[in-house]
Amino acid sequence: MGINLRRDNIIYPYFVVGGSNKKEKILSFPGRHRLSVDLLIKDIKELKALGINRVLLFGVPEAKDGKGSAAYKNNNIVSLAVREIKRRFPQLIVFTDVCLCAYTDHGHCGILKGRAIDNNETIKILAKIALSHAEAGADYVAPSAMAKGQVGAIKRELDRNGFRKTKIMGYSAKFASNFYGPFRNAAGSAPKFGDRKDYQLDYSDSLAALAGIGADIDEGADIVMVKPALAYLDIIKEAKLKFNRPIAAYNVSGEYAIVKYGAKQGLWNEDEMVKEITTSIKRAGADYIITYHAKDAARWLK
Ligand code: PBG
């Protein structure tokens, strides 16, 4: 009895690069690769055979500039991947990350004016990125830049262009966290100067987190997210009790790496550890868990 993780609770993240037949190892991110679209399709075939039907795509572009234009140009890497996935697996539920950090030469999540984020300009560009993903067939666009009003701006842009069925998963409570290290190697998205504390949340501030979740719901988010997951179970629980909306929790790269490296050192049994962690996240109130453990977990899930 009690809470059990199910396959339809799981969202599996992928990092996508251009070209073909590419499978690039990622520094300090055990077992994770950047895949070109052809190999992505192969991998998704395996994923589907394991019974998992939700993926989250991150694009890793070949070129970066000040405006992150590779994120929204025609045939940007995420749009290419979504089109191919939908052609091959129309039933797969595809989420796309909508952010600029992997596409800007400075590595910040928005457009800069001087050394600060220009919020208005940023949400305009995020809306453009989201529209390009929607046109390619994404089921959910997921803005993660932590720009104010990003969900509302995307919603209006989608509505204006007739994409009323495309849903939005907001990275609503995203903390300025130490747990993102391996991810930044994967996406090549570490900031070149400063940090993200101006726009990501202070981990000592639960009120700001709940306010962010409330704002995203008001702006029209279909799913709200708490990120990271494990050190923030209290936020997941409070959000569930307060808003009772579909909640996703992002079991991020650093949380994953701890489990993997510990298992390698013989400190614990990896499967048992993943079971305990994912069960706890679900028990706290998460309806969806975004996790790099998905394929491993699918082997022991009932
Ligand atoms: C930023 C973004 C981050 C992650 C996903 N999108 C974090 C960051 O660099 O601030 C982290 C995911 C992970 O660690 O697994 N757009």
Side-chain angles (χ1 to χ4, degrees):
M1 275 298 282
I3 299 286
N4 284 308
L5 183 71
R6 294 190 320 260
R7 288 180 172 81
D8 61 1
N9 300 131
I10 294 178
I11 303 173
Y12 190 51
Y14 280 108
F15 302 99
V16 194
V17 290
S20 64
N21 201 25
K22 281 201 193 140
K23 182 174 181 178
E24 305 169 357
K25 267 207 151 117
I26 304 167
L27 182 72
S28 313
F29 203 164
R32 305 299 305 172
H33 299 86
R34 298 184 203 91
L35 300 176
S36 53
V37 175
D38 53 333
L39 297 190
L40 172 72
I41 295 292
K42 258 177 106 174
D43 207 276
I44 291 176
K45 222 178 254 168
E46 286 173 35
L47 189 74
K48 280 189 58 84
L50 291 165
I52 294 174
N53 202 40
R54 289 173 176 77
V55 301
L56 170 62
L57 303 182
F58 292 93
V60 184
E62 262 137 40
K64 302 177 191 248
D65 61 26
K67 298 249 172 234
S69 58
Y72 48 88
K73 66 172 192 190
N74 278 340
N75 293 324
N76 61 71
I77 182 65
V78 172
S79 298
L80 285 176
V82 174
R83 279 206 181 87
E84 193 57 18
I85 291 172
K86 284 290 176 181
R87 197 170 71 78
R88 305 290 293 267
F89 315 108
Q91 306 302 328
L92 195 84
I93 302 173
V94 180
F95 296 71
T96 60
D97 185 81
V98 175
C99 195
L100 280 160
C101 57
Y103 300 89
T104 50
D105 48 16
H106 46 70
H108 280 283
C109 297
I111 303 299
L112 295 183
K113 197 192 260 166
R115 286 167 76 89
I117 299 281
D118 180 341
N119 196 78
N120 274 343
E121 195 53 30
T122 298
I123 60 178
K124 268 190 229 155
I125 302 282
L126 294 173
K128 242 169 124 158
I129 301 173
L131 179 61
S132 79
H133 297 175
E135 285 168 345
D139 297 282
Y140 285 84
V141 292
S144 69
M146 289 301 280
K148 285 185 192 63
Q150 60 184 8
V151 169
I154 289 172
K155 181 104 188 150
R156 285 189 296 279
E157 183 76 358
L158 293 176
D159 282 354
R160 237 195 324 269
N161 288 279
F163 290 94
R164 294 200 172 77
K165 290 215 180 102
T166 310
K167 299 194 185 86
I168 302 176
M169 175 171 74
Y171 283 66
S172 314
K174 179 174 176 183
F175 291 89
S177 172
N178 296 293
F179 285 101
Y180 304 149
F183 173 91
R184 291 182 184 171
N185 288 329
S189 63
K192 296 288 174 304
F193 66 87
D195 52 39
R196 303 211 206 286
K197 290 184 179 154
D198 287 344
Y199 43 100
Q200 297 183 348
L201 296 167
D202 172 352
Y203 52 70
S204 68
D205 191 348
S206 56
L207 285 180
L210 290 167
I213 292 168
D216 274 10
I217 291 170
D218 290 345
E219 289 174 32
D222 300 278
I223 299 177
V224 289
M225 191 206 296
V226 175
K227 176 183 173 187
L230 204 47
Y232 300 88
L233 296 181
D234 57 324
I235 309 290
I236 298 172
K237 181 91 189 185
E238 278 189 75
K240 194 69 195 178
L241 292 175
K242 190 169 159 92
F243 301 109
N244 195 25
R245 291 295 177 100
I247 296 186
Y250 201 141
N251 178 215
V252 299
S253 57
E255 299 174 66
Y256 165 86
I258 289 171
V259 172
K260 286 278 182 190
Y261 284 124
K264 219 175 177 177
Q265 293 294 317
L267 300 181
W268 46 65
N269 174 292
E270 183 175 324
D271 287 351
E272 291 304 320
M273 193 56 124
V274 173
K275 259 181 226 175
E276 182 176 345
I277 288 172
T278 50
T279 302
S280 300
I281 296 169
K282 187 164 171 187
R283 190 195 62 230
D287 302 281
Y288 298 103
I289 302 176
I290 303 162
T291 181
Y292 305 101
H293 294 295
K295 278 169 104 183
D296 298 335
R299 285 186 283 105
W300 49 257
L301 274 174
K302 278 199 243 43

